[in-house]
Amino acid sequence: MKTIAIIDDDIYIGDMLKEVLIREGYAVLRAYSGTEALYLLSKNKPDLILLDLMLPGLSGEEVLHCIENIPVIVLSAKADVQDKVNLLLGGAADYMTKPFDIKELLARITVQLRKAELHGHSKILSAGDLMLDIVSFSLTVQDHPVRLTRTEYAILKLLMENPKQVIAKSVLLDRISLDTPDCTERSLKQHISNLRRKMQEVSGADYIETVWGIGFKLAEQKS
């Protein structure tokens, strides 16, 4: 069941939204001020947030700046185009002007939740005892943290995103070039050697398989 947080000090609108969302099969969280919203979000991580701008305490704009990795649909009486542009550029996923049509809102909620699923907001790649958090750029091997360089992280991320595929050297270099322009064909072998060594020091296992004459792939791991 997906959870939606309603952050709005208007009791009538909040109650109406809660009733509709529950009827549609969602769980609902409520906050009536900006300060209460931050406390709520420190204890819970909803799948989507409906955010009013005119809140007591912290404004909706201030709350928006504190929200990360959760789609936010702004619901506001402000109809100025520049306000909408600023909020969308400031992190909002969508914007609806009050009063709004509830069927349209439900459709937009469905779209944003679908996008969140496609982009995987959990942002955790796992393979056996490897866990790669692509939000914090951190790796754990058998629950032990392993420090990676930027290039090592990019290599491992690509291999874990394609766990059953052999990635040719040229493809690997091309795919990570935007993040690691310093990595060359000559240095790639050393980067992979260093990455292997760091993970082996924790578990003794070799997580990267070399396919001679082609490239590299993630070694099969027990789940």
Side-chain angles (χ1 to χ4, degrees):
M1 179 184 291
K2 300 293 186 181
T3 300
I4 297 177
I6 302 170
I7 303 173
D8 197 321
D9 65 327
D10 188 310
I11 295 176
Y12 171 77
I13 291 178
D15 287 348
M16 180 272 292
L17 288 173
K18 180 179 180 180
E19 181 180 339
V20 170
L21 292 172
I22 290 175
R23 190 166 64 239
E24 292 293 320
Y26 297 108
V28 175
L29 301 172
R30 293 281 297 275
Y32 300 86
S33 71
T35 305
E36 185 182 1
L38 293 188
Y39 178 77
L40 176 74
L41 296 174
S42 72
K43 303 296 182 182
N44 304 272
K45 187 170 183 181
D47 298 285
L48 182 139
I49 296 170
L50 301 178
L51 176 66
D52 183 33
L53 297 180
M54 304 298 289
L55 297 170
L58 295 174
S59 69
E61 289 91 343
E62 291 173 303
V63 173
L64 180 62
H65 291 316
C66 299
I67 298 172
E68 294 182 352
N69 303 317
I70 304 173
V72 177
I73 299 178
V74 171
L75 305 176
S76 175
K78 292 184 178 181
D80 183 76
V81 172
Q82 191 57 50
D83 287 331
K84 296 180 181 181
V85 170
N86 292 341
L87 285 159
L88 291 170
L89 292 176
D94 204 349
Y95 188 112
M96 292 192 71
T97 304
K98 294 179 179 179
F100 49 82
D101 183 90
I102 193 65
K103 290 183 179 179
E104 181 181 357
L105 175 61
L106 289 173
R108 294 193 185 205
I109 287 172
T110 299
V111 168
Q112 293 304 324
L113 290 174
R114 187 182 299 145
K115 285 182 179 179
E117 287 184 356
L118 290 174
H119 287 86
H121 273 286
S122 63
K123 303 296 183 184
I124 300 292
L125 297 176
S126 63
D129 50 26
L130 299 180
M131 298 285 287
L132 189 68
D133 188 322
I134 61 176
V135 173
S136 62
F137 309 103
S138 59
L139 169 69
T140 58
V141 179
Q142 295 183 349
D143 296 324
H144 295 282
V146 176
R147 293 177 63 86
L148 301 179
T149 66
R150 186 175 179 180
T151 302
E152 291 163 0
Y153 165 80
I155 292 168
L156 183 60
K157 177 174 177 287
L158 181 59
L159 293 176
M160 291 182 69
E161 287 175 335
N162 304 275
K164 296 182 180 181
Q165 297 182 24
V166 179
I167 309 294
K169 294 177 184 178
S170 59
V171 173
L172 198 157
L173 286 167
D174 181 65
R175 293 281 297 275
I176 70 174
S177 61
L178 290 177
D179 294 323
T180 61
D182 63 312
C183 186
T184 64
E185 185 173 355
R186 179 176 296 180
S187 65
L188 178 61
K189 184 177 180 181
Q190 187 61 51
H191 286 300
I192 289 181
S193 176
N194 293 339
L195 176 59
R196 273 183 165 138
R197 174 181 50 78
K198 289 180 178 181
M199 295 189 290
Q200 284 177 328
E201 286 176 350
V202 175
S203 68
D206 189 354
Y207 296 91
I208 299 175
E209 179 182 337
T210 300
V211 181
W212 297 107
I214 302 177
F216 305 92
K217 71 184 294 286
L218 197 70
E220 290 189 14
Q221 301 296 312
K222 297 179 181 179
S223 52

